[in-house]
């Protein structure tokens, strides 16, 4: 298994990502799957997964969360972090996810498309007190099970949206969405305005929705 950065940085990565999610979700009241969309689209996720020391060691998890939110929304007043002795499910999810991402070498974008953060948080009750290898095995099973799904479906579900919800927010016909997800219609041949509407609601690029973006 090829790792993007040395194992000596792994504890730093786990500490930063756990505090990042805990603060963004519990103190800033952001939805789990929306903060991951911001993490991806602001470019911080790519720097983090590459092992950029500025993010793994140069700032705290709270500072990382503030940087992500401010880059997405501009200068914004953010709450002071609340520190507790208890490990929240969101904190654990960040800790465990950092280990999984380092171990597999996968991009955060690919992970979150298949396994939303909200789903990882729900794994807390089963996995937080047992060996991390059990969590990694479970994540691999979820990841592989999602491989056959269309990108549109994976991204939509990672944002916690139903097909009808996406149709309502985007203005794209529900049947069109269903056909793209079932591959009855080729999304790579969809009109640019449809792709733009979908990507805007889902917080992703148009290329993220295409099944064969390089063709």
């Amino acid at each position: 298994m090829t790792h993007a950065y040395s194992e000596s940085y792994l504890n730093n990565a786990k500490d930063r990502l756990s505090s990042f999610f805990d603060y963004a979700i519990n103190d800033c009241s952001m939805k789990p799957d929306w903060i991951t969309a911001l993490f991806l689209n602001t470019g911080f996720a790519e720097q983090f997964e590459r092992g950029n020391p500025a993010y793994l060691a140069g700032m705290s998890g709270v500072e990382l969360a503030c940087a992500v939110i401010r880059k997405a929304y501009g200068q914004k007043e953010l709450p002071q972090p609340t520190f507790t002795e208890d490990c929240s499910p969101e904190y654990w999810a960040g800790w465990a996810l950092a280990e999984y991402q380092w171990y597999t070498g996968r991009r955060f974008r690919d992970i979150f498309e298949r396994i939303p953060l909200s789903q990882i948080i729900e794994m807390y009750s089963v996995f937080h007190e047992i060996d991390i290898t059990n969590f990694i095995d479970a994540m691999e099973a979820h990841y592989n099970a999602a491989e056959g799904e269309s990108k549109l479906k994976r991204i939509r579900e990672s944002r916690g949206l139903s097909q009808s919800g996406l149709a309502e927010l985007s203005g794209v016909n529900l049947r069109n969405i269903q056909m793209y997800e079932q591959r009855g219609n080729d999304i790579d041949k969809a009109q640019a305005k449809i792709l733009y509407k979908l990507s805007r609601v889902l917080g992703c690029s148009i290329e993220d929705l295409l099944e064969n973006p390089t063709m």
Side-chain angles (χ1 to χ4, degrees), residues 12-83:
N12 282 343
K14 291 162 76 172
D15 175 74
R16 275 33 172 200
L17 203 61
S18 55
S19 298
F20 167 38
F21 289 143
D22 186 50
Y23 172 73
I25 296 167
N26 293 318
D27 290 318
C28 298
S29 301
M30 302 198 75
K31 293 183 178 180
D33 299 329
W34 188 246
I35 191 61
T36 58
L38 299 183
F39 187 40
L40 295 172
N41 293 333
T42 54
F44 285 94
E46 183 177 1
Q47 294 299 319
F48 195 97
E49 69 199 23
R50 289 181 175 180
N52 187 329
Y55 303 104
L56 295 187
M59 61 173 61
S60 69
V62 171
E63 289 171 335
L64 176 61
C66 291
V68 168
I69 295 169
R70 285 176 175 143
K71 185 170 182 179
Y73 296 113
Q75 291 298 319
K76 183 174 181 177
E77 190 75 21
L78 296 172
Q80 291 295 314
T82 301
F83 296 104

